[in-house]
Amino acid sequence: MLFAACDKIAPEDYTIGTGTSSNWENANSRRAFVEKYTGPRCSNCPRADETLTAAHHRFGDKLVIISINHHGTQGHPWPNNPDMRTEDGIAWADYLGISELPSAYLNRGTKMYTGSMNEIVADIEDIIAETPQAGIEVSATAEGNDIDITVDVELFGQIEGELTVTLALTEDSLAYKQSMPVGDPEDNYVHNHMLRDVITDTWGNDIPLTGTAGEHKIGHFNYTVNNGDIKIENCHIVALLSRKSDRSVLNCAECTIE
């Protein structure tokens, strides 16, 4: 897949190339994707952060998290604090019908998790134990504000329906004011996995696969970070392989930017 260097890549802006699986190292790696909806004025959200942070330490790179600031009242920034809401995050939240914070979805399934998120951990473990239908890997290198991203997709079994790849930029170590479960808001609460941009189309870009086991595609995309507040050294690239019909996530991957 050769992607054009623009904010959102349209179908006419990329082509598809066939890869070989000779360098495929994680063909049996099944990962879980959690998208968590939060907000700086949500006093219960830090409890969800505790649960998911512990899960991330436990499962390592088998768990990919994106934290999205909601556009409702609790997602509004405090005065003189950064606004972490994004257009793509708003579109995702509206599609899922998010109105309560904190809320999360696992692989964009049908179940919404709320509150402290305690029950999500067992479900994450179940997904990781599954045999994957497809694999996806991502790597990224940067020169200044320009990031070169490589995406590697392979089908391990027969898959019905069209598939998409979504690329997102997340950032760790963002310190700003956050309401807490007890006491006054914390002025320098550390936020991780925060959605900063969706590089592809909001819902991903098509990859023309026939659904046959063994198909393998490799894609390249050059992305320029135009937001001067983003620290690339604290960022990750997240790649989601999704079913186009219901936007469910078949597998995912995350990488630092070298």
Side-chain angles (χ1 to χ4, degrees), residues 192-209:
N192 293 314
H193 316 289
M194 187 60 61
L195 177 66
R196 301 297 260 149
D197 195 15
V198 175
I199 298 165
T200 56
D201 180 77
T202 301
W203 300 108
N205 287 81
D206 295 342
I207 48 174
L209 294 160

Side-chain angles (χ1 to χ4, degrees), residues 70-76 85:
H70 195 260
H71 52 290
T73 302
Q74 294 182 86
H76 289 195
R85 294 170 293 179

